[in-house]
Amino acid sequence: MDAIPSFKLILGSASFSRRKILEEMGYEFTISTADIDEKSIREEKPEDLVMTLAEAKVVVYEGAIREKPASKEEAWEFIKGYSGGHAATVGSVLVTNLKTGFRKGEWDRVEIYFHEIPDEVIEKLIEEGIVLRVAGGLIIEHPLVLPYIKEVVGTTDSVMGLPKALTKKLIEEAL
């Protein structure tokens, strides 16, 4: 078992998934979020956008950036579009050592390939509502979605919003 880290970690995100991933990694942390309007921040390339937001995950489908669906209809359109096709998530990790001022961030991209997703499954996901609160309406770890995942090129934790290996690497570099 790894030794408990002897530094204070602050997660700059309200994301449940990111909290869960950091807990799984064995880190103790506090949460401090900025009250910013992420949709007001624009960049053309998804890799640039996530680094600008520094805490976000965006979904890319056919070259277009998809953030949280604005409506049930948009969520339907998003998920139906993934059916039998593929999408990508682009996320970033930014680590700042508040004592030394060291700051470094990197982005991570994951490709997700889908089998056909039945309309009834899409309806259940939208009815449940959680797909309305995530980038691209995409939750690959959801029990209703898992059977329709053909292949994930990258890591599930990255799709969930916090790539473990990259996070660990950047924290180690910052110390």
Side-chain angles (χ1 to χ4, degrees):
M1 182 127 185
D2 293 337
I4 295 173
S6 61
F7 54 88
K8 183 177 179 183
L9 192 62
I10 301 169
L11 174 62
S13 171
S15 163
F16 173 77
S17 296
R18 291 184 185 102
R19 287 196 313 259
K20 184 177 170 191
I21 291 166
L22 274 182
E23 287 168 358
E24 286 173 3
M25 293 175 74
Y27 292 114
E28 289 185 20
F29 57 93
T30 57
I31 297 169
S32 178
T33 60
D35 186 22
I36 59 169
D37 176 10
E38 292 183 355
K39 290 192 185 254
S40 70
I41 299 169
R42 297 293 90 202
E43 297 283 350
E44 197 164 311
K45 291 174 59 185
E47 295 83 357
D48 294 339
L49 177 62
V50 295
M51 291 308 298
T52 301
L53 294 173
E55 63 175 19
K57 173 190 78 173
V58 296
V59 173
V60 182
Y61 177 73
E62 294 184 347
I65 295 172
R66 288 186 169 174
E67 296 177 75
K68 294 174 185 167
S71 65
K72 289 181 177 186
E73 294 76 23
E74 188 172 54
W76 176 275
E77 181 186 311
F78 284 2
I79 299 167
K80 190 68 176 170
Y82 306 141
S83 184
H86 93 283
T89 62
V90 183
S92 66
V93 178
L94 176 66
V95 173
T96 304
N97 183 322
L98 297 176
K99 285 186 181 172
T100 66
F102 175 89
R103 180 180 177 99
K104 186 172 181 187
E106 291 183 26
W107 56 268
D108 187 58
R109 183 180 179 104
V110 178
E111 299 285 334
I112 305 120
Y113 296 86
F114 297 87
H115 295 291
E116 292 292 328
I117 304 170
D119 288 353
E120 312 80 72
V121 171
I122 298 172
E123 285 170 18
K124 285 181 188 172
L125 287 165
I126 292 169
E127 210 174 276
E128 194 179 78
I130 195 166
V131 296
L132 298 169
R133 299 189 299 269
V134 295
L138 185 61
I139 309 176
I140 68 165
E141 69 277 12
H142 193 290
L144 287 175
V145 177
L146 276 172
Y148 304 101
I149 301 295
K150 187 186 295 183
E151 182 183 9
V152 176
V153 181
T155 62
T156 300
D157 48 88
S158 183
V159 176
M160 292 173 67
L162 193 66
K164 289 179 181 178
L166 178 57
T167 300
K168 186 175 191 297
K169 175 186 152 231
L170 292 175
I171 288 173
E172 288 171 357
E173 287 179 20
L175 295 178

